[in-house]
Amino acid sequence: MSYTATIGVRTYRFAHLKTLLAKASPQRSGDQLAGIAAASEEERVAAKIALSHVPLKTFLSEAVIPYESDEITRLIHDTHDAAAFAEISHLTVGDFRNWLLATSTDTAALERITHALTPELVAAVSKLMRNQDLIAVARKRPVVTRFRNTVGLPGHLSVRLQPNHATDDVKGIAASMLDGLMYGCGDALIGINPATDSLAAITTLLKMIDEFRQKYAVPTQSCVLTHVTNTITAIGKGAPVDLVFQSIAGTEKANASFGINLALLHEAHEAAQSLKRGTVGNNLMYFETGQGSALSADAHHGVDQQTCEARAYAVARAFNPFLVNTVVGFIGPEYLYDGKQITRAGLEDHFCGKLLGVPMGCDICYTNHAEADQDDMDNLLTLLGVAGINFIMGVPGADDVMLNYQSTSFHDALYVRDVLGLRRAPEFEEWLESMQIADARGALISGSTRQPLLEGASEWMGIA
């Protein structure tokens, strides 16, 4: 099926739905690298016009990647809720944009249609939206998850404490972890990217965090971000695994490049569920994604990188995750060239994930060879805070010494919570108050009242 739009005397034709989606995407370097981007701004406008007239029903009949050759397409198709789709089935993509933005479309309405939506459909409508539209709609769609605390409540913002170390030195990691906790970070997760995939090192880090958590009754969850097969092995050996991590993508071929498939993720999910370590809920998967991952693996099938990214959220949704993190600027300028492209991608990812019922967070970040700086990250941080992001990163000094990229700091979390009036996970805030780290309003307490915990934990960790 082809699609057309006329601008002036020129008619543009788009041979396939995936071609139309790619041409309608805002400019980004990854789609240009793949040779699928619009050749001009006029062609991009024409594609948006044509896309706005596409009936939503089309997304159920025309797959961007064939059903027979891709298990993610099969997952999307086989789990689609036809009954819920009836509420919006008469709309075009343009009509759907208007429906989403209408004041009468509230949280309950968005929740009703969650499983009626396909990733390609939400990617399509995002391409017709300005940044403010993405923010306004995402804000109406909170997604709440629970393990040892509650993340994603309206008016709240959590932080993944990321105490990475270039050599996995336990004392260095412990020092960064304690630093973050004293700044009130860590309610989403204490999560370490290990420098090595050594099972012994991974287990050592898991035990260190878990012993600290139990000693001080910290209502949070831990994760060492290793390959899912290592986590399955660690569970089998009795390691204290809370959340199971895996990077995921939106095509079967891209996931194969990560060494995973849906069956392996199901195995890991069941293994972790059997441990029954959650106290207030059992959401326990932690997925990371990023625009450009399928293209970098030559596994995008001619589909634009943002649509591929949205398809990754269908994978995540199948496992009721605790956290999903778009590491938005990490892959590099070959995929998102500058601060403007990174900002747009972060807002798109959050919007698409939330509409699909996924608990979205964002690593607001860039690599040092991108045309971006910390001011761009401040802007995206503020916009995502307004949009209702579930969590962000907390990295010492915003500079990750192991992964060698720039992210957000403990102080950045204090800033966005202060200016937007956001709170931490409620269970974690109660703990901070009991430890005299923060007061009942969530504000940090300065001075000597914090020293007993600081000195006790430092002595226990051996970093005094």
Side-chain angles (χ1 to χ4, degrees):
M1 181 176 179
S2 63
Y3 306 87
T4 63
T6 300
I7 297 181
V9 298
R10 184 169 183 178
T11 297
Y12 289 85
R13 290 181 173 83
F14 309 95
H16 307 286
L17 183 60
K18 71 177 180 182
T19 305
L20 180 62
L21 289 168
K23 301 292 187 181
S25 286
Q27 184 179 25
R28 60 204 55 195
S29 52
D31 291 338
Q32 292 171 318
L33 178 67
I36 61 175
S40 66
E41 285 303 316
E42 184 173 284
E43 185 182 27
R44 181 171 289 110
V45 170
K48 289 178 184 288
I49 292 170
L51 182 60
S52 72
H53 295 297
V54 174
L56 298 189
K57 292 178 181 178
T58 303
F59 292 88
L60 305 181
S61 60
E62 185 176 349
V64 297
I65 303 174
Y67 181 93
E68 297 76 17
S69 60
D70 186 270
E71 70 172 356
I72 312 308
T73 300
R74 293 193 290 274
L75 172 69
I76 293 166
H77 183 274
D78 295 347
T79 58
H80 182 256
D81 188 336
F85 185 67
E87 183 172 351
I88 56 172
S89 62
H90 61 290
L91 301 175
T92 65
V93 177
D95 294 332
F96 185 49
R97 172 189 177 273
N98 295 336
W99 184 86
L100 289 171
L101 289 167
T103 54
S104 57
T105 302
D106 57 10
T107 298
L110 295 177
E111 289 175 347
R112 282 198 309 271
I113 66 164
T114 296
H115 292 278
L117 302 178
T118 70
E120 294 86 354
L121 192 161
V122 297
V125 75
S126 77
K127 298 175 193 298
L128 304 184
M129 290 183 150
R130 294 169 56 184
N131 287 0
Q132 66 175 246
D133 299 336
L134 299 174
I135 293 167
V137 175
R139 186 175 177 83
K140 294 195 287 187
R141 183 55 173 100
V143 180
V144 179
T145 57
R146 296 174 175 85
F147 189 73
R148 286 200 190 90
N149 60 26
T150 306
V151 170
L153 294 167
H156 291 68
L157 173 72
S158 295
V159 176
R160 171 191 156 187
L161 205 173
Q162 184 171 300
N164 294 344
H165 193 278
T167 63
D168 287 341
D169 180 78
V170 175
K171 289 186 178 181
I173 289 171
S176 292
M177 184 175 77
L178 183 57
D179 186 30
L181 289 169
M182 299 308 291
Y183 278 102
C185 293
D187 51 339
L189 172 67
I190 299 174
I192 302 166
N193 297 89
T196 173
D197 274 336
S198 160
L199 187 61
I202 291 164
T203 303
T204 296
L205 294 175
L206 284 169
K207 287 181 177 178
M208 182 273 287
I209 301 174
D210 198 58
E211 289 172 6
F212 175 84
R213 180 189 64 78
Q214 292 192 60
K215 182 177 178 65
Y216 291 97
V218 190
T220 190
Q221 33 285 321
S222 65
C223 184
V224 174
L225 281 67
T226 186
H227 193 271
V228 67
T229 53
N230 290 332
T231 303
I232 292 171
T233 301
I235 290 172
K237 292 182 177 295
V241 172
D242 287 344
L243 304 190
V244 175
F245 166 80
Q246 183 55 50
S247 294
I248 58 173
T251 74
E252 180 178 348
K253 186 178 179 182
N255 282 326
S257 75
F258 293 154
I260 64 166
N261 54 34
L262 295 177
L264 182 61
L265 295 178
H266 277 292
E267 180 184 350
H269 183 251
E270 290 177 1
Q273 289 278 12
S274 71
L275 299 179
K276 301 185 185 301
R277 290 176 59 83
T279 55
V280 298
N282 60 359
N283 302 112
L284 51 71
M285 301 298 283
Y286 174 34
F287 295 118
E288 287 195 343
T289 67
Q291 288 194 29
S293 59
L295 175 57
S296 67
D298 191 24
H300 62 104
H301 302 275
V303 179
D304 70 273
Q305 65 182 42
Q306 190 243 335
T307 301
C308 282
E309 171 73 3
R311 284 170 56 94
Y313 305 150
V315 177
R317 181 169 68 176
F319 297 94
N320 298 312
F322 184 68
L323 306 169
V324 175
N325 178 30
T326 171
V327 193
V328 67
F330 183 73
I331 303 181
E334 300 84 0
Y335 307 97
L336 295 169
Y337 179 72
D338 56 17
K340 182 174 182 177
Q341 291 188 14
I342 291 170
T343 297
R344 174 69 189 190
L347 295 175
E348 288 171 348
D349 294 350
H350 180 246
F351 165 87
C352 290
K354 285 293 184 65
L355 277 191
L356 291 168
V358 172
M360 290 301 298
C362 184
D363 190 340
I364 301 162
C365 63
Y366 63 101
T367 57
N368 289 313
H369 61 311
E371 291 294 322
D373 59 27
Q374 213 64 40
D375 285 337
D376 295 311
M377 300 305 102
D378 287 349
N379 293 342
L380 180 54
L381 170 64
T382 306
L383 294 173
L384 285 172
V386 174
I389 194 83
N390 280 29
F391 72 101
I392 61 170
M393 300 296 108
V395 177
D399 185 1
D400 193 296
V401 297
M402 195 281 285
L403 293 173
N404 195 28
Y405 77 117
Q406 308 304 310
S407 185
T408 47
S409 71
F410 306 144
H411 297 82
D412 292 331
L414 293 177
Y415 147 75
V416 74
R417 283 176 174 145
D418 181 52
V419 298
L420 298 178
L422 302 173
R423 305 298 293 258
R424 302 171 183 87
E427 301 89 344
F428 193 78
E429 281 211 336
E430 290 178 8
W431 177 80
L432 290 175
E433 185 178 0
S434 71
M435 292 289 105
Q436 300 180 31
I437 296 172
D439 62 22
R441 299 174 294 111
L444 296 183
I445 300 172
S446 61
S448 61
T449 55
R450 292 168 58 187
Q451 292 307 308
L453 175 66
L454 182 60
E455 292 174 0
S458 298
E459 181 180 357
W460 179 81
M461 291 176 172
I463 57 174

